[in-house]
Amino acid sequence: MLPKGGGRTKHITLIDPDKQSPEVAAQRALVAVECGTSAIFVGGSTDTGSNIVDATCGAIQEALELSMFAASQHPDASEEQWNIPVILFPGGAHAMSARADGILFMMLMNSKTRKFLIEEQLQGAPYIAKAGLQTIPTGYIVCAPGGAVGEVGQADLINPNDTELVAAYCQTAEMYGFSTVYLEAGSGASSPVDLELIKTAKSAMDCTLIVGGGIRVPEQMLAAAEAGADYIVTGTITEEFDDLQLLKERLQSLISIL
Ligand code: 1GP
């Protein structure tokens, strides 16, 4: 899950279950898939309970299955288009669902508290094992400006000139055996992750590199892709459109740039 795309950057849509009903989340996810997104992350807000996360994962999975079935009835349609993983992006051990396909099993590497370095993981691991969720071992690194996740996660933020530090974090992630590193500027950040940090991270390790936070326009997508992101996550823009046609146009303009 989340392999490097052979040089081509892919897009991931983040759905925060707290921001809409499960039905609307499913509609938004389908629009994102139509536009070419490669995976759906479900999570974000720190206080969302497992019941809402589970209902949202279930609604998205059902919608994807229905679309896949509908495509199978049309010779010109592609079933494979709807074969998209739903992956938990948990704010903690309280936000789980067995109806996801996998989970970003994250260490918030630059957190100053044990809670996000190891304690939430200890709480979540037995559930994950029982549910049989595929884990994606991920070094999660919060960069300036950091937003809510920086504050809640008590992150020692990575600043744009901290290139040696971000390289050391990436090397550490790789030495731990993590498959993936996620450079995060914070949801709704006023500016995305600094491009030098992305370039440095990319050249410091062989892990899959995810970048997200504050990416809103095609130019920012392109710049992050050229700097070396394997996957770019957007979340907030998906929440801004109640009109699905407008959402489609906005996401198409972003994803088609890749
Ligand atoms: C947040 O990186 C994601 O965890 C997406 O950020 O909501 O700013 O797109 P946005």
Side-chain angles (χ1 to χ4, degrees):
M1 220 175 271
L2 301 187
K4 287 196 242 179
R8 191 176 148 255
T9 306
K10 294 183 181 170
H11 179 263
I12 295 173
T13 298
L14 170 64
I15 303 250
D16 184 342
D18 220 22
K19 300 286 171 61
Q20 68 276 288
S21 67
E23 293 70 31
V24 172
Q27 289 168 352
R28 288 174 166 167
L30 290 187
V31 168
V33 174
E34 258 186 274
C35 294
T37 207
S38 70
I40 306 291
F41 282 175
V42 176
S45 291
T46 44
D47 50 1
T48 312
S50 282
N51 52 343
I52 303 173
V53 174
D54 187 56
T56 301
C57 286
I60 295 171
Q61 294 283 30
E62 280 170 27
L64 288 170
E65 280 165 25
L66 274 175
S67 298
M68 192 180 266
F69 175 74
S72 74
Q73 306 302 301
H74 291 277
D76 297 336
S78 159
E79 279 180 71
E80 204 46 38
Q81 179 191 7
W82 304 101
N83 187 14
I84 296 288
V86 176
I87 299 170
L88 295 172
F89 172 57
H94 56 279
M96 301 284 197
S97 169
R99 287 194 275 182
D101 298 303
I103 179 168
L104 287 188
F105 194 69
M106 298 187 286
M107 173 191 286
L108 203 176
M109 296 185 78
N110 57 331
S111 176
K112 290 180 274 192
T113 168
R114 266 175 61 85
K115 180 174 164 66
F116 295 108
L117 289 166
I118 192 64
E119 287 179 356
E120 291 292 326
Q121 295 83 339
L122 286 171
Q123 275 188 46
Y127 177 92
I128 294 168
K130 196 170 172 200
L133 288 172
Q134 184 178 336
T135 50
I136 303 169
T138 302
Y140 189 50
I141 303 170
V142 183
C143 305
V149 70
E151 280 175 35
V152 174
Q154 296 182 44
D156 196 2
L157 296 177
I158 306 287
N159 290 304
N161 56 357
D162 289 334
T163 47
E164 283 182 24
L165 185 58
V166 86
Y169 270 117
C170 290
Q171 288 162 339
T172 303
E174 190 164 36
M175 289 173 191
Y176 266 117
F178 297 168
S179 64
T180 304
V181 164
Y182 189 152
L183 294 185
E184 170 74 88
S187 186
S190 53
S191 56
V193 175
D194 179 80
L195 296 175
E196 281 307 313
L197 292 180
I198 300 174
K199 282 182 201 163
T200 306
K202 181 68 181 174
S203 59
M205 58 171 190
D206 284 327
C207 301
T208 298
L209 181 60
I210 303 176
V211 174
I215 293 176
R216 303 184 54 82
V217 295
E219 292 73 23
Q220 291 169 323
M221 288 277 285
L222 197 57
E226 286 176 352
D230 295 300
Y231 291 87
I232 296 174
V233 182
T234 67
T236 302
I237 50 171
T238 307
E239 295 156 9
E240 290 176 351
F241 295 94
D242 289 328
D243 182 320
L244 294 177
Q245 185 55 35
L246 290 179
L247 174 61
K248 189 172 175 181
E249 286 165 20
R250 183 67 187 273
L251 282 179
Q252 253 165 356
S253 76
L254 275 181
I255 299 172
S256 64
I257 200 95
L258 295 176

